[in-house]
Amino acid sequence: MRLVSGIQPSGQLTLGNYLGAIKQFINLQDELKDTEFFIFIADLHSITVPQDKTKLRQNIRSLAAIYLACGLDPKKVNLFVQSEVIEHNQLGYVMETTAYVPELERMTQYKDKKQKQTAGIRTALLTYPALMAADILLYDADIVPVGDDQKQHLELTRDLALRFNAQHGDTFIVPNPYIPKVGGKIMSLTDPTKKMSKSDENPKSVIYLLDDLNAVKNKIKSAVTDSDTTICYDQKNKPGISNLLTIYSLVTDVPIIQIETLYEGKTYQVFKEDLATKVVDYLRPIQERYQALLKSEALDDVLDQGRDNARNIAYKKIQKVYKRLGLNRRK
Ligand code: TYM
């Protein structure tokens, strides 16, 4: 079995990225015994919109340190930078020859980003899901842990794998998304009907993993909730408190139903204060490990080794794909 997933190094990582994705990687690395893990920094994806090169370089390193600080074990996981394994680009192009334009135009993330962007839309923003499909199919991944917002891209990846297999013979494993039942979509703290997003303009909406811990406390205490007083999970009518219950449950590993009982008759204020303490206690050791890792040479060794292991597999796969397409001069 193989597991593949990636995160873009654009901006600061959020608690949503952690709870929706990284936490699953950590849980699965312990649970799944006979599985090879390929976790990467999706730097090619981040240049689909303009980036500052100094910041991007820092963010790539920072994301590697965050992965490890959160508990990713480099003995079990191949951790690497996407742009260092050129086969991603090679298969990405093959996937562009497999995908139809309307299929890509239908992607909701593309439609959203296109709307928000004032400057010219780059071609790669549209073809992005073809590269993402390549990231996954290159390693014959069986399982792809992601948050809710990547579901549509995963469905497209499956379609592309099936189409290629049907046209050229069995080549790719058709991957399965792995979306957590709780935490697949962490919401904004100021507007709980919207996803918590790296690119949110209001810093109060987002808890960043590397946020100042006092700021984290204040953000949670001022999170938008409703005018009711009962602490219970009701996604539709009480999205704010439901989001906070989700976060509470994931950082403490206590089921939501038990948290509701624990806070019966208590105020939102008490609940938010407790949650603020729990989140801060959770983030503190991650931030400490992060600071130590960022400066260490070990980080580069891990990324070098991860790249070499990934390339070994990716190289063989792209040869096979090229052969299927007739792109091999010598048989
Ligand atoms: P990205 O960088 O936007 O997000 C990384 C991961 O975090 C999840 N996520 C969330 N989960 C819960 N609540 C939220 N508010 C939240 N915000 C983000 C995302 O679902 C994702 O799992 N295209 C991908 C990166 C990628 C990839 C891949 C993933 C490139 N190639 C191959 C898997 C396999 C992206 O932009 O994720």
Side-chain angles (χ1 to χ4, degrees), residues 8 43-50 82 89 92-93 96 104-105 107 109-111 113-114 117 120-133 135 153 156:
Q8 288 193 56
D43 57 347
L44 294 172
H45 283 277
S46 63
I47 60 166
T48 50
V49 294
Q82 182 190 29
N89 301 73
Y93 179 71
E96 285 176 26
L104 298 175
E105 284 172 335
M107 296 292 115
Q109 279 213 340
Y110 170 69
K111 289 199 267 187
K113 287 194 179 165
K114 194 173 125 189
Q117 231 173 290
I121 310 292
R122 309 298 204 265
T123 312
L125 198 64
L126 174 67
T127 56
Y128 174 119
L131 181 60
M132 178 159 163
D135 299 337
H153 291 158
L156 178 71

Side-chain angles (χ1 to χ4, degrees), residues 205-262:
S205 307
V206 185
I207 295 175
Y208 295 104
L209 291 182
L210 300 177
D211 249 347
D212 170 78
L213 294 176
N214 273 324
V216 172
K217 271 196 180 153
N218 291 331
K219 287 180 189 186
I220 294 177
K221 284 191 208 159
S222 62
V224 168
T225 40
D226 50 66
S227 54
D228 189 23
T229 50
T230 32
I231 296 165
C232 69
Y233 189 91
D234 179 348
Q235 183 59 53
K236 203 162 154 239
N237 300 310
K238 295 162 75 69
I241 209 75
S242 301
N243 188 39
L244 297 182
L245 276 165
T246 303
I247 295 174
Y248 193 122
S249 171
L250 291 168
V251 298
T252 58
D253 277 330
V254 176
I256 289 177
I257 193 156
Q258 277 181 35
I259 305 170
E260 288 172 340
T261 318
L262 205 65

Side-chain angles (χ1 to χ4, degrees), residues 166-320:
Q167 285 173 356
H168 305 288
D170 246 4
T171 311
F172 297 117
I173 300 272
V174 182
N176 286 305
Y178 178 93
I179 299 173
K181 284 197 191 76
V182 179
K185 193 172 184 183
I186 300 296
M187 309 308 268
S188 150
L189 298 182
T190 56
D191 177 358
T193 59
K194 236 176 54 185
K195 184 186 82 165
M196 184 182 282
S197 161
K198 274 179 210 153
S199 54
D200 202 308
E201 272 152 26
N202 182 357
K204 285 191 169 164
S205 307
V206 185
I207 295 175
Y208 295 104
L209 291 182
L210 300 177
D211 249 347
D212 170 78
L213 294 176
N214 273 324
V216 172
K217 271 196 180 153
N218 291 331
K219 287 180 189 186
I220 294 177
K221 284 191 208 159
S222 62
V224 168
T225 40
D226 50 66
S227 54
D228 189 23
T229 50
T230 32
I231 296 165
C232 69
Y233 189 91
D234 179 348
Q235 183 59 53
K236 203 162 154 239
N237 300 310
K238 295 162 75 69
I241 209 75
S242 301
N243 188 39
L244 297 182
L245 276 165
T246 303
I247 295 174
Y248 193 122
S249 171
L250 291 168
V251 298
T252 58
D253 277 330
V254 176
I256 289 177
I257 193 156
Q258 277 181 35
I259 305 170
E260 288 172 340
T261 318
L262 205 65
Y263 285 92
E264 233 175 63
K266 300 216 171 106
T267 61
Y268 280 2
Q269 197 194 346
V270 169
F271 172 71
K272 283 180 180 175
E273 268 169 21
D274 284 359
L275 174 62
T277 310
K278 307 259 181 222
V279 172
V280 163
D281 288 348
Y282 197 87
L283 292 182
R284 189 177 293 113
I286 294 179
Q287 293 192 355
E288 285 167 3
R289 284 195 295 269
Y290 167 82
Q291 290 304 341
L293 277 158
L294 199 60
K295 295 177 210 127
S296 78
E297 268 177 40
L299 193 64
D300 285 307
D301 295 342
V302 167
L303 293 173
D304 287 349
Q305 187 63 57
R307 173 203 58 207
D308 293 348
N309 294 348
R311 282 209 73 180
N312 263 334
I313 292 166
Y315 176 76
K316 286 186 199 125
K317 191 73 194 180
I318 202 72
Q319 295 310 313
K320 184 171 175 186

